[in-house]
Amino acid sequence: ERKRFFTLDKENKLAQVEWQTKLDLQKGEIELEWSQKSEAEKFEMKQQYENTIKHLNIAIDDLQGWKKKYEESEDMYITLSKIMTVKNQRIEELQARLMVEKETENVAKESV
């Protein structure tokens, strides 16, 4: 389970880098074409650029949501591990106590 979340985190980081690279490339292309376009074409390109930014922000929000879920899951895993450790210690203590009680019973029976 932890490996799956580590993999998702790495994939999310790669996706974020890919989106940032695409954004940088698109920005460079738009700036190059910008000076050669009419006002109507500039307006249309500006709209496309803003839509790209909007979609990238949505993707970043999604990635941050995945990151938060991963961190919450990791915290839950750590908490459960601590609970299991305490539970196992308690079981060992009870088993030791049971063995002592059985030995005490056996000694009592033998002495009778």
Side-chain angles (χ1 to χ4, degrees):
E1 190 67 19
R2 286 185 78 184
K3 283 184 180 180
R4 185 172 75 85
F5 281 107
F6 282 120
T7 301
L8 285 174
D9 190 45
K10 287 179 184 176
E11 289 174 1
N12 288 340
K13 288 177 183 175
L14 284 173
Q16 191 172 4
V17 168
E18 287 176 13
W19 277 106
Q20 187 63 47
T21 302
K22 287 179 183 180
L23 175 62
D24 292 343
L25 290 173
Q26 287 179 349
K27 183 179 177 185
E29 290 172 6
I30 290 171
E31 287 173 350
L32 176 63
E33 295 173 13
W34 192 258
S35 61
Q36 303 167 355
K37 300 291 180 184
S38 69
E39 288 303 314
E41 290 172 320
K42 285 181 182 181
F43 179 77
E44 184 180 332
M45 287 181 73
K46 185 176 180 184
Q47 292 294 339
Q48 290 174 354
Y49 178 75
E50 288 172 355
N51 283 338
T52 300
I53 295 288
K54 178 182 168 185
H55 290 292
L56 289 173
N57 285 332
I58 291 169
I60 288 169
D61 289 344
D62 289 346
L63 292 173
Q64 288 172 341
W66 276 102
K67 180 181 178 186
K68 183 178 179 184
K69 286 179 184 179
Y70 163 76
E71 289 169 348
E72 289 171 354
S73 295
E74 186 177 35
D75 290 344
M76 186 183 302
Y77 175 81
I78 291 168
T79 301
L80 288 173
S81 294
K82 289 177 182 178
I83 290 170
M84 290 301 294
T85 300
V86 170
K87 177 186 163 237
N88 290 338
Q89 289 172 347
R90 183 71 177 135
I91 288 171
E92 289 173 8
E93 290 169 6
L94 291 172
Q95 286 173 338
R97 187 181 303 164
L98 183 62
M99 287 177 65
V100 168
E101 287 177 11
K102 282 184 179 182
E103 286 179 26
T104 305
E105 264 183 40
N106 288 340
V107 168
K109 284 180 184 177
E110 289 175 6
S111 64
V112 172

